[in-house]
Amino acid sequence: MAEYRLMSPRKKSLYDLHRAATHVNMQMLDTPMSEVVTTLMRSRIQNNAMRIGPSTLDGLMINGGGYQGKTETACRTAAEFEDTWRDLFEQYPECYFDPMPGTRDLIAPVAYCQTPVKATPIGLCEAILDYYGAPYGKNLRGMIRNVRESIKAHATTVLIIDDITRLKMHREDDQDTLDLIRGLMDLDVTLVLIGVNIPRSGLLREGWHDPRTNQWVYAPLKKGKSYNPDASTQTERRFDLVTLASFDYSNDVGIAAFVAHLEGIENQIRLFNAGPGTLSEGRMPEYLYRRTHGIVGLLRRLIEDGLTKAIEGGLEDLTIDLLDEITINLGNVPGKDDGRDAEAGEIPDIDTSPKRKPGPKPRKGRNSVYDDRGTPPAAEA
């Protein structure tokens, strides 16, 4: 702190800018919930990539609430697979194409796109083709042909489609879009679909859960005008459904996991007056859980805003009083902030206000989320 105070205003500004960059780019931490998703996803895409038979590859659906890190977890796992897959390609020069200046990579093991807010088969094709930088085509059939050719030409083995629950099954265009997605499964590509509350979205209305394999089995859609008449002859499509949940503060195991996560975050904090225990000791864990409901995305947003305020105000520490001054705004207009669709459940409907609402006196004990500061989640709900 003494050295910092002796800096010129310019050097202080650059130093604070460096700290701000560090705070908004903290290392992504594993959680018990994300490890379940990572393990299943890694196994699924690796096994499918090794398969040489003509059978349709099993897909994966990643379910969870808004701001719970589904996309980050899936993309990190896919990136790790891509690194491994590229290393394998480089061992066989006759199969590997070096990137050419002025062009995109010819080998793209993983492709990623988002479901358009107003989903149509054309819109989804455009989103996929934009990833490859490929031409659209003159009509829907031409766009579908370009999508298929791009996936094969770039040796894509994993196709991630995010925000899948933007599809509304009461709309014909959305039904046709889902039919298109299912039709891509015959391209030797592993489909990874990410969405909010998938079981209640209507996507599974045409399917059933097989308890023997713990998989969802789907019959083809019969409504709408499918782009591919042959798709209706396929009797089943298979996906695994895995849920990325928030932290659970109702038992000792969940509390320990949440505190360990806070310790991992506080080790990356660059404040002069902060140190071990800043987030993980005293009343802070219960306070942070009450404010964020154990949702990692909201926790990150609250801490990032708190760190910025601590630097700008000169406090150089995170305290409950400082965090009380920060409001987590979940009512931003979709598309103007981070592009989340409220109608698709991508913005959680929870109370993140700094001050608790009055309620019955909570029970005492270590597992009480609010202790003497508020009501337990069950009472508040």
Side-chain angles (χ1 to χ4, degrees):
M1 177 62 81
E3 295 179 8
Y4 177 77
R5 288 171 176 169
L6 293 176
M7 290 181 180
S8 65
R10 175 177 173 78
K11 287 187 176 181
K12 282 185 179 180
S13 177
L14 293 175
Y15 188 81
D16 291 343
L17 184 63
H18 185 212
R19 289 198 290 170
T22 302
H23 289 156
V24 299
N25 292 285
M26 290 186 182
Q27 179 184 2
M28 184 178 176
L29 302 174
D30 286 323
T31 67
M33 302 80 71
S34 67
E35 289 176 352
V36 173
V37 176
T38 298
T39 299
L40 178 58
M41 182 176 173
R42 182 187 295 119
S43 173
R44 175 55 44 83
I45 62 180
Q46 191 169 12
N47 290 344
N48 284 349
M50 300 292 184
R51 197 182 304 276
I52 60 176
S55 60
T56 300
L57 300 181
D58 291 340
L60 181 66
M61 285 185 173
I62 301 178
N63 175 59
Y67 291 92
Q68 290 186 354
K70 300 181 299 298
T71 299
E72 292 86 345
T73 300
C75 288
R76 182 182 63 171
T77 304
E80 292 172 353
F81 165 78
E82 178 166 335
D83 290 340
T84 302
W85 206 241
R86 287 184 180 276
D87 290 341
L88 290 176
F89 264 99
E90 291 179 351
Q91 294 182 22
Y92 300 91
E94 66 276 8
C95 301
Y96 186 78
F97 302 96
D98 292 326
M100 295 185 297
T103 69
R104 299 199 176 193
D105 288 349
L106 297 180
I107 298 297
V110 178
Y112 170 89
C113 71
Q114 285 184 305
T115 305
V117 174
K118 299 297 182 182
T120 62
I122 291 178
L124 180 62
C125 286
E126 290 177 348
I128 297 174
L129 293 172
D130 283 342
Y131 182 85
Y132 293 108
Y136 286 163
K138 296 181 180 180
N139 50 43
L140 177 58
R141 191 169 296 275
M143 297 179 77
I144 295 171
R145 181 176 60 251
N146 288 351
V147 168
R148 290 175 170 269
E149 290 178 352
S150 295
I151 290 175
K152 290 183 178 180
H154 292 272
T156 299
T157 59
V158 180
L159 174 59
I160 300 176
I161 303 180
D162 204 353
D163 301 322
I164 190 64
T165 44
R166 290 178 176 177
L167 298 179
K168 308 297 189 297
M169 291 300 96
H170 64 278
R171 295 197 298 242
E172 185 174 310
D173 283 342
D174 294 44
Q175 294 179 20
D176 292 340
T177 303
L178 181 59
D179 198 9
L180 167 62
I181 293 172
R182 293 173 178 173
L184 298 176
M185 295 182 71
D186 62 359
L187 295 177
D188 292 330
V189 62
T190 301
L191 281 180
V192 179
L193 310 181
I194 306 173
V196 176
N197 204 354
I198 291 177
R200 295 185 181 180
S201 66
L203 295 175
L204 308 184
R205 183 175 57 187
E206 300 293 336
W208 63 94
H209 185 264
D210 187 346
R212 296 172 300 174
T213 61
N214 197 31
Q215 292 179 319
W216 285 88
V217 183
Y218 299 89
L221 286 171
K222 297 181 180 180
K223 299 179 180 180
K225 299 177 181 179
S226 171
Y227 78 96
N228 181 7
D230 295 335
S232 61
T233 64
Q234 200 147 3
T235 58
E236 63 181 25
R237 306 289 190 177
R238 290 188 173 271
F239 286 90
D240 274 339
L241 180 67
V242 60
T243 298
L244 181 60
S246 58
F247 280 100
D248 181 10
Y249 211 90
S250 63
N251 54 70
D252 289 343
V253 175
I255 293 173
F258 185 64
V259 172
H261 187 72
L262 296 179
E263 290 175 348
I265 296 176
E266 70 187 13
N267 289 336
Q268 304 178 67
I269 290 177
R270 299 295 178 260
L271 296 178
F272 289 114
N273 297 328
T278 298
L279 302 178
S280 59
E281 295 181 359
R283 297 182 301 171
M284 187 63 82
E286 292 185 357
Y287 173 83
L288 292 174
Y289 187 87
R290 179 178 67 81
R291 288 293 306 276
T292 65
H293 294 251
I295 299 174
V296 293
L298 299 184
L299 178 66
R300 180 177 59 189
R301 173 183 285 197
L302 177 62
I303 291 176
E304 285 180 0
D305 290 348
L307 292 171
T308 300
K309 193 175 185 65
I311 293 176
E312 293 176 348
L315 180 62
E316 293 293 338
D317 195 5
L318 283 181
T319 64
I320 291 178
D321 291 337
L322 181 141
L323 295 176
D324 274 343
E325 300 175 7
I326 297 174
T327 301
I328 303 177
N329 182 13
L330 299 180
N332 295 327
V333 179
K336 291 186 178 181
D337 183 18
D338 52 7
R340 297 179 186 266
D341 183 9
E343 294 184 2
E346 295 166 20
I347 299 177
D349 183 17
I350 60 176
D351 179 19
T352 60
S353 59
K355 301 298 183 181
R356 66 177 178 86
K357 296 180 179 180
K361 187 176 181 180
R363 61 183 174 86
K364 298 292 183 179
R366 181 181 177 187
N367 292 344
S368 173
V369 176
Y370 294 79
D371 198 29
D372 59 349
R373 293 181 55 80
T375 59
E380 184 182 36

